Amino acid sequence: MKIVVLVKQVPDSGAERNLRAEDNTVDRASANNVINEMDEYAIEEALRLQEAHGGEVTVLTMGPQRATESIRKALSMGPDGAVHVVDDALSGTDALGTSKVLAKALERLNADVIICGAESTDARGQVLPHMLAERLGVAALTGARKLTVDGSQLTIERQTEEGYEVVTAATPAIVSVWDTINEPRYPSFKGIMAAKKKPVETLSIADLGVDAGEVGWAGAQTTVKEHTKRPPRSAGQKVTDSGEGGVALVDYLSSEKFV
Amino acid sequence: MAEVLVVVEAAGGAVKKVTLEMLTMARSLGTPAAVVFGDAEPLVAKLGEFGAEKVYVAAGDDIANYLVAPKATVLASLVKDVQPAAVLIGSTQEGKEIAGRLAVKLDNGVLTDVVSLDADGTATQVIFAGSTIVKSAVKGSVPIVTVRPNSLTPAPQAGAAAVSTVDVAVGDKDKLATVVNRVAEAKGARPELTEASIVVSGGRGVGSAENFKLVEELADLLGAAVGASRAATDSGFYPHAFQVGQTGKTVSPQLYIALGISGAIQHRAGMQTSKTIVAVNKDTEAPIFELADFGVVGDLFQVVPQAAEEIRKRK
Ligand SMILES: Cc1cc2nc3c(=O)[nH]c(=O)nc-3n(C[C@H](O)[C@H](O)[C@H](O)COP(=O)(O)OP(=O)(O)OC[C@H]3O[C@@H](n4cnc5c(N)ncnc54)[C@H](O)[C@@H]3O)c2cc1C
Ligand SMILES: Nc1ncnc2c1ncn2[C@@H]1O[C@H](COP(=O)(O)O)[C@@H](O)[C@H]1O
């Protein structure tokens, strides 16, 4: 089974994140850049598939040069190799453009199963998996909290507002996962050492047959016109309970007309 | 005026609030026209009350039995037919997925989690855990926008709600992912988390699944939805579907009450834009107090039952 796992580098969501004043793009220079959290679950799921069904796991990332740190980190968990699409012309690319580039790279890789995170913590788009499925003409099993494989048949459980649904498709397919699906492993020391020697192929957009005009600022179908910092919320009233805290709480709620 | 297509979110034969918000939002851009996937009959009257001039209906097994793709195909052909000024879709998992496919089909930009929309198509989004406000726009001719629930107050306006049936012509490529089972889980009478005007959430401090009854009791007295922190869902205190935060739901109610929640940045990501925030926490240093309009430093096992009792008394 040939498995490709999509990994995006994002600014750490546990710290302050900013957009750059000059072009409204994510300020990656000042951020602590990490693997998008959901993608760690995707890597784990890919490795479990490999353990059960054999084959090869390849990491695919589109991102700037510094994304190599995240690629090595991903490889230290166990995948066999990686493909890094990196090109100056990609700066400013929106979700639609990203899907164009990743789809081209995926066409070359010819995977049976593509696994990715359900959403990235910076964009929170949840749009990439179906964009890719649409471009590639493969099945999309998205938002999985559980994945089972029987031969070439994949079945997922996905949570909905009303409960959950069970969805099935034959390979080739793209599966996106939430953090409820598994518990990602920590890289071992051996894994970290081995990752340094694993092959990482870098591809430019020319290698993929993508035109500079289709991506980056020129190709973007969306523009961010401006951004402002929301004033931080300020602390209000704080009372210490000395037997009447519950009453004080209700007093406040009724002064605000909630009770 | 051009039409603005609003993809209807409904459950159990009732229109969801986000749909009414979108119908309200659509008016500044053009004539609201609803698009219903499935049985429209119980929904039409309500859609008309909120300004839908037309109701396009696409139903049948090809829509119901496969994931997302058929809906995007139907929507794309509708867009080609009516040339709308914009397409508005709820910012739910499925809504965003439909939007993603539609964007590829139309080679058009998509904006997700939008909270307001100007007449010129400029959208406002709140990003990075509620810390940054972004104004953005779609360059192409048909902006595809997903709208976050609880972004505005729906306003009634009479609309003709003229029903028109849409042909469902989908190809094999749209039928690759088959829904083999839909399992409804008992939800009780509480309002939906993302649409509720009051949310009461419990965290690790609640201590156990059993103790979550306390959170539910307060919620029910206030007519609120129940939420939970990740620590609470990870510990199995409450189902994952109710998690609020970075990796859970984003809520923006009038009132958010946090019980035994420390206020980690990833939790804030899902509740920071709430109108009023109230917290009960025994640690006076808990970061949740930095954003609470009203905080009680105390043991929730004392404070919450007393508050519940007091509300009962005053009713
Ligand atoms: C990538 C990533 C994504 C994440 N996504 C989310 C997310 O979506 N949602 C989310 O919530 N978290 C998320 N987290 C986790 C987040 O960082 C925190 O760990 C989590 O929010 C903590 O939950 P908590 O406040 O319930 O628990 P704790 O931080 O353990 O806080 C418990 C609080 O309860 C108080 N307490 C204890 N007993 C009592 C009592 N008897 N009475 C009153 N107060 C009491 C304590 O003083 C403490 O402040 C994420 C983390 C990461 C790394
Ligand atoms: N630049 C990228 N490189 C590789 N994978 C990506 C990239 N952007 C998004 N993805 C994948 O798509 C998923 C959903 O992203 P999004 O639609 O941005 O929320 C992420 O969890 C990643 O697995």
Side-chain angles (χ1 to χ4, degrees):
Chain A
M1 184 175 275
K2 186 148 199 321
I3 305 162
V4 172
V5 53
L6 298 182
V7 174
K8 183 182 185 186
Q9 188 182 55
V10 296
D12 185 359
S13 63
E16 191 179 321
R17 290 169 291 175
N18 293 298
L19 295 181
R20 304 199 309 173
E22 55 278 27
D23 59 7
N24 297 306
T25 60
V26 178
D27 185 351
R28 298 177 195 279
S30 74
N32 177 24
N33 297 294
V34 297
I35 293 178
N36 175 44
E37 200 213 2
M38 285 309 149
D39 302 351
E40 293 186 13
Y41 296 83
I43 298 167
E44 177 64 36
E45 204 57 25
L47 295 171
R48 290 184 188 191
L49 276 190
Q50 183 186 36
E51 280 154 15
H53 305 276
E56 197 183 312
V57 177
T58 305
V59 169
L60 171 61
T61 293
M62 169 184 135
Q65 197 54 50
R66 64 160 57 86
T68 30
E69 305 149 21
S70 292
I71 291 172
R72 291 291 169 199
K73 173 109 194 289
L75 290 175
S76 70
M77 288 172 73
D80 302 292
V83 173
H84 184 184
V85 184
V86 50
D87 200 307
D88 288 344
L90 287 170
S91 130
T93 306
D94 62 1
L96 194 66
T98 302
S99 74
K100 198 174 276 176
V101 174
L102 288 175
K104 288 278 189 201
L106 285 166
E107 274 167 17
R108 290 168 53 118
L109 291 169
N110 216 356
D112 300 301
V113 183
I114 302 157
I115 307 189
C116 65
E119 76 173 10
S120 48
T121 51
D122 55 349
R124 300 208 69 176
Q126 283 180 44
V127 291
L128 246 306
H130 275 274
M131 283 181 167
L132 291 171
E134 181 72 31
R135 288 190 190 280
L136 297 168
V138 304
L141 298 172
T142 46
R145 67 176 185 190
K146 188 175 165 196
L147 169 66
T148 48
V149 179
D150 182 3
S152 63
Q153 199 68 20
L154 309 177
T155 303
I156 63 152
E157 243 178 59
R158 91 180 205 144
Q159 194 182 294
T160 62
E161 299 294 338
E162 282 68 44
Y164 68 93
E165 47 198 18
V166 181
V167 193
T168 183
T171 57
I174 182 162
V175 179
S176 79
V177 305
W178 286 112
D179 51 348
T180 34
I181 199 162
N182 58 40
E183 201 46 63
R185 67 197 65 187
Y186 285 104
S188 64
F189 179 70
K190 218 172 118 217
I192 295 168
M193 295 317 286
K196 297 188 172 142
K197 298 194 204 79
K198 287 179 177 169
V200 178
E201 184 187 8
T202 55
L203 295 175
S204 67
I205 56 166
D207 294 331
L208 293 174
V210 175
D211 212 57
E214 299 175 69
V215 294
W217 299 108
Q221 291 297 313
T222 50
T223 49
V224 178
K225 296 185 182 172
E226 56 174 70
H227 75 271
T228 43
K229 279 293 221 185
R230 241 168 127 256
R233 293 187 81 106
S234 47
Q237 209 183 331
K238 188 158 93 174
V239 303
T240 300
D241 179 39
S242 47
E244 292 293 309
V247 175
L249 179 61
V250 178
D251 282 342
Y252 176 78
L253 293 181
S254 63
S255 75
E256 297 290 315
K257 309 262 181 309
F258 290 117
V259 175
Chain B
M1 244 200 315
E3 292 178 18
V4 177
L5 296 180
V6 171
V7 177
V8 172
E9 296 251 351
V15 178
K16 287 196 187 180
K17 193 167 139 218
V18 67
T19 305
L20 308 181
E21 295 178 36
M22 291 190 286
L23 287 170
T24 306
M25 203 181 248
R27 291 172 211 157
S28 65
L29 295 169
T31 307
V35 181
V36 176
F37 292 113
D39 183 14
E41 162 105 55
L43 313 174
V44 172
K46 190 79 170 182
L47 297 170
E49 278 169 42
F50 283 80
E53 288 298 329
K54 284 197 184 145
V55 180
Y56 296 104
V57 183
D61 286 350
D62 279 355
I63 294 284
N65 295 350
Y66 306 96
L67 204 66
V68 179
K71 295 180 181 171
T73 294
V74 168
L75 210 48
S77 74
L78 201 53
V79 166
K80 284 179 186 135
D81 286 349
V82 310
Q83 301 287 327
V87 182
L88 308 188
I89 309 176
S91 232
T92 56
Q93 173 165 289
E94 194 187 67
K96 288 175 169 185
E97 293 175 343
I98 295 172
R101 283 203 183 247
L102 189 61
V104 171
K105 285 178 190 289
L106 303 175
D107 198 22
N108 223 308
V110 55
L111 297 171
T112 54
D113 279 326
V114 165
V115 297
S116 79
L117 205 53
D118 298 345
D120 70 352
T122 302
T124 305
Q125 297 161 291
V126 184
I127 63 161
F128 292 165
S131 69
T132 304
I133 298 169
V134 163
K135 298 254 188 214
S136 41
V138 171
K139 280 190 206 156
S141 52
V142 191
I144 302 162
V145 169
T146 77
V147 177
R148 196 150 95 185
N150 263 356
S151 295
L152 73 159
T153 310
Q157 170 181 299
V163 174
S164 120
T165 306
V166 178
D167 258 358
V168 177
V170 305
D172 290 344
K173 286 283 182 212
D174 293 326
K175 300 190 194 176
L176 296 174
T178 312
V179 180
V180 288
N181 197 6
R182 283 202 175 84
V183 182
E185 280 164 348
K187 291 218 304 178
R190 289 190 194 102
E192 195 164 297
L193 189 51
T194 52
E195 304 202 329
S197 52
I198 304 180
V199 175
V200 182
S201 288
R204 198 197 308 273
V206 174
S208 67
E210 181 67 32
N211 291 345
F212 246 80
K213 288 215 180 76
L214 222 60
V215 181
E216 291 183 332
E217 185 191 8
L218 184 60
D220 290 341
L221 283 165
L222 295 167
V226 173
S229 73
R230 184 172 181 170
T233 57
D234 278 356
S235 312
F237 298 173
Y238 218 66
H240 189 265
F242 297 89
Q243 184 177 309
V244 171
Q246 171 81 58
T247 45
K249 299 268 161 60
T250 301
V251 301
S252 199
Q254 295 297 313
L255 172 64
Y256 187 87
I257 303 185
L259 306 173
I261 292 175
S262 61
I265 194 160
Q266 295 91 353
H267 187 76
R268 293 180 188 202
M271 45 69 75
Q272 186 138 258
T273 57
S274 305
K275 198 89 186 295
T276 300
I277 296 174
V278 168
V280 180
N281 195 303
K282 67 180 180 192
D283 174 11
T284 184
E285 304 290 329
I288 191 78
F289 288 125
E290 291 162 19
L291 59 158
D293 299 285
F294 188 82
V296 180
V297 182
D299 185 346
L300 72 93
F301 297 105
Q302 305 293 326
V303 175
V304 175
Q306 187 181 66
E309 192 47 43
E310 188 65 22
I311 295 171
R312 265 190 223 100
K313 259 195 245 163
R314 294 188 193 190
K315 271 191 168 169

